[in-house]
Amino acid sequence: MSPIETVAVIGLGYIGLPTAAILATNGFGVVGVDVNQETVDAVNRGEVPFVEPDLSVHVAGAVSQGHLKATTDTPSAQAYIVAVPTPFKEDRSADLSYIESAARGIAPQLQGGELIILESTSPPGATRHLADYLLALRPEFSLDGANGAPVIHFAHCPERVLPGRVMIELVTNDRIVGGITPEAAALAKDLYAVFCKGEILITDDVTAEMAKLVENSYRDVNIAFANELSVISDKLGIDVWELIRLANHHPRVNILNPGPGVGGHCIAVDPWFIVSAAPQEAQLIRAAREVNDSKPAWVVNKVISSLESLSPETEVAVFGLAFKADIDDLRESPAVEIADELSKQLQTYRINIVEPHVETLPRELAGHSNVELVAADEALSRSAVVVLLVDHEPFKQLAPKLADKTVIDTRGLLKR
Ligand code: SAJ
């Protein structure tokens, strides 16, 4: 049983809003806090400002029952969950300014005894930085009750949910809870145990921070292996999908899927936090990032060379902008990067983009006069070259319509 009844969730994004909703549907009094007034208004209407299966039902239900509301000002609460972005800076170290800004909102509300949980993906030391930053603003409190000062508890509890399966994985995934003190870890564990049916594993704050980064780096390294194989196979004239399918029959081999590059706000970012913390030592992790980051340019070159033998009136169809299948999230998407480069390098060609999950082109592409967002059939009727960048479910039916096209299939959509 958690002694906590009220929770403020700072940051109502892809992680904060689902977490706020699941806490609210489990009986907590939850206030979601966001700097974006439109997000706050949408949540208060019971609406979700992005696509995530089943989230709308939770948010609408929690708001109508009065368990969830949103505001731009941080309220007083017994627990705070900080789920704000931690992007990387020019030098690829983590930008902690959003965490600091959340701390400035929390500081005036503290009365002693609160639990503050950092959920944002963080470089090693970020939870300690949050604690130091807050306690510098409120020096009458302490981490451990030294000299009789009232305690504020700090823990790191990284989220590990997969976009597209968030409402399921919030409940079923095992969870790591890293406390700056054992008391903080125990309090955080009791809070998550209310809705998390997976195992809740206790550790210290820095190990928890690293665990999250390591999980995503593991994935990045393995995708880099697949991407490198796709480039090698192309050079050798081998079908990489057949190669991987065959190799994966070995009982201890499980090669992932090559693609146009690695996107999203996690796998393409988090490994850099490890590289930044240990630049000399993190050689494989850095190399994997470089392999994956170089894949979009390789795809662009493939498309350009496929046009060499075709007429100058040829149009190009680009299928998919999202960073992966069946979501509307375009952040750090290699598909957007490829479409952008194609439109710059192929200025005399029309680029027809098909992305069923968006209604308008993203900022990067909207400014190009040779780019248009169109329906699939229109793109196919206009284009001789088809570039498949995302394995969205509806694209899996395209094969019969591609017989007379030059196809660059970066996801193996026609092979899997
Ligand atoms: N990708 C490939 N080949 C593959 C698998 C993925 O090219 O075989 C690409 C995807 O197309 C996408 C990128 O990698 O561009 C990342 O996709 P993903 O589905 O592997 O992962 P994310 O970024 O959506 O979510 C990851 C998850 N981490 C792990 O699986 C270790 C998720 O559990 C984390 O919660 C999330 O990062 C996060 O927030 O950190």
Side-chain angles (χ1 to χ4, degrees):
M1 266 291 286
S2 173
I4 290 164
E5 291 172 357
T6 56
V7 183
V9 178
I10 322 291
L12 293 177
Y14 291 78
I15 299 305
L17 184 53
T19 305
I22 206 134
L23 285 166
T25 48
N26 278 278
F28 289 91
V30 182
V31 178
V33 182
D34 204 283
V35 289
N36 185 332
Q37 187 67 50
E38 284 172 23
T39 301
V40 165
D41 293 343
V43 172
N44 283 330
R45 288 193 304 269
E47 293 165 10
V48 177
F50 50 87
V51 174
E52 179 61 46
D54 295 339
L55 178 56
S56 301
V57 182
H58 278 79
V59 170
V63 170
S64 71
Q65 286 169 0
H67 291 298
L68 172 64
K69 63 178 182 185
T71 152
T72 51
D73 297 319
T74 307
S76 150
Q78 292 167 301
Y80 295 87
I81 293 180
V82 177
V84 294
T86 40
F88 57 49
K89 297 190 281 198
E90 279 288 283
D91 66 357
R92 290 187 168 128
S93 65
D95 176 359
L96 302 183
S97 59
Y98 297 93
I99 294 179
E100 291 172 356
S101 158
R104 288 194 296 277
I106 295 169
Q109 302 297 345
L110 294 177
Q111 293 160 28
E114 289 90 346
L115 169 66
I116 301 179
I117 298 172
L118 180 60
E119 275 212 19
S120 311
T121 301
S122 299
T127 311
R128 183 61 71 152
H129 176 78
L130 168 64
D132 292 346
Y133 189 89
L134 249 175
L135 293 179
L137 294 171
R138 295 296 302 271
E140 69 272 36
F141 297 121
S142 71
L143 285 175
D144 52 8
N147 303 323
V151 175
I152 306 293
H153 304 281
F154 289 89
H156 182 56
C157 183
E159 60 77 18
R160 305 149 102 192
V161 289
L162 195 71
R165 284 178 48 85
V166 169
M167 299 318 286
I168 298 165
E169 293 203 356
L170 265 179
V171 176
T172 58
N173 282 2
D174 294 344
R175 204 81 204 217
I176 298 174
V177 170
I180 288 191
T181 60
E183 295 73 29
L187 273 172
K189 178 175 180 171
D190 288 347
L191 176 64
Y192 285 100
V194 172
F195 65 86
C196 172
K197 304 295 166 232
E199 203 177 332
I200 302 181
L201 306 143
I202 299 268
T203 183
D204 62 73
D205 49 317
V206 183
T207 309
E209 288 161 346
M210 272 302 277
K212 163 73 193 210
L213 302 179
V214 162
E215 289 162 13
N216 280 349
S217 299
Y218 168 86
R219 191 92 170 145
D220 199 42
V221 167
N222 282 280
I223 298 169
F225 182 69
N227 276 334
E228 188 161 292
L229 287 182
S230 72
V231 175
I232 294 169
S233 298
D234 186 74
K235 181 168 183 164
L236 302 181
I238 293 172
D239 176 349
V240 70
W241 304 100
E242 188 190 359
L243 173 69
I244 291 175
R245 185 173 52 78
L246 295 175
N248 280 352
H249 274 271
H250 186 288
R252 284 173 297 284
V253 173
N254 185 15
I255 303 170
L256 295 181
N257 297 312
V262 169
H265 37 286
C266 307
I267 296 187
V269 176
D270 299 359
W272 288 121
F273 294 168
I274 301 181
V275 175
S276 166
Q280 297 302 320
E281 295 77 8
Q283 294 187 44
L284 177 64
I285 295 171
R286 181 202 303 270
R289 263 304 53 247
E290 287 167 354
V291 167
N292 287 333
D293 271 355
S294 66
K295 191 73 194 287
W298 186 87
V299 174
V300 168
N301 287 335
K302 279 304 278 181
V303 178
I304 291 175
S305 42
S306 77
L307 287 163
E308 272 159 16
S309 54
L310 298 169
S311 95
E313 280 83 49
T314 306
E315 297 193 15
V316 178
V318 170
F319 276 77
L321 288 179
F323 84 82
K324 65 175 188 177
D326 305 322
I327 58 169
D328 69 340
D329 192 343
L330 309 187
R331 289 178 295 171
E332 315 283 335
S333 175
V336 173
E337 186 182 339
I338 290 166
D340 183 39
E341 266 314 303
L342 285 176
S343 54
K344 283 181 191 147
Q345 296 195 34
L346 298 172
Q347 291 196 3
T348 56
Y349 292 81
R350 273 216 82 66
I351 316 280
N352 302 297
I353 302 210
V354 182
E355 177 44 85
H357 295 281
V358 301
E359 275 157 25
T360 50
L361 285 173
R363 188 178 33 81
E364 297 92 316
L365 301 175
H368 298 301
S369 57
N370 56 338
V371 178
E372 201 182 337
L373 185 66
V374 298
D377 284 342
E378 193 173 347
L380 288 172
S381 69
R382 289 181 184 176
S383 311
V385 173
V386 175
V387 191
L388 301 174
L389 295 179
V390 186
D391 42 350
H392 287 317
E393 205 49 46
F395 296 172
K396 292 181 180 159
Q397 319 305 327
L398 286 174
K401 300 179 176 172
L402 298 176
D404 59 338
K405 314 279 185 202
T406 301
V407 181
I408 288 106
D409 180 8
T410 67
R411 296 276 187 185
L413 257 170
L414 308 180
K415 299 285 171 55
R416 288 194 279 147

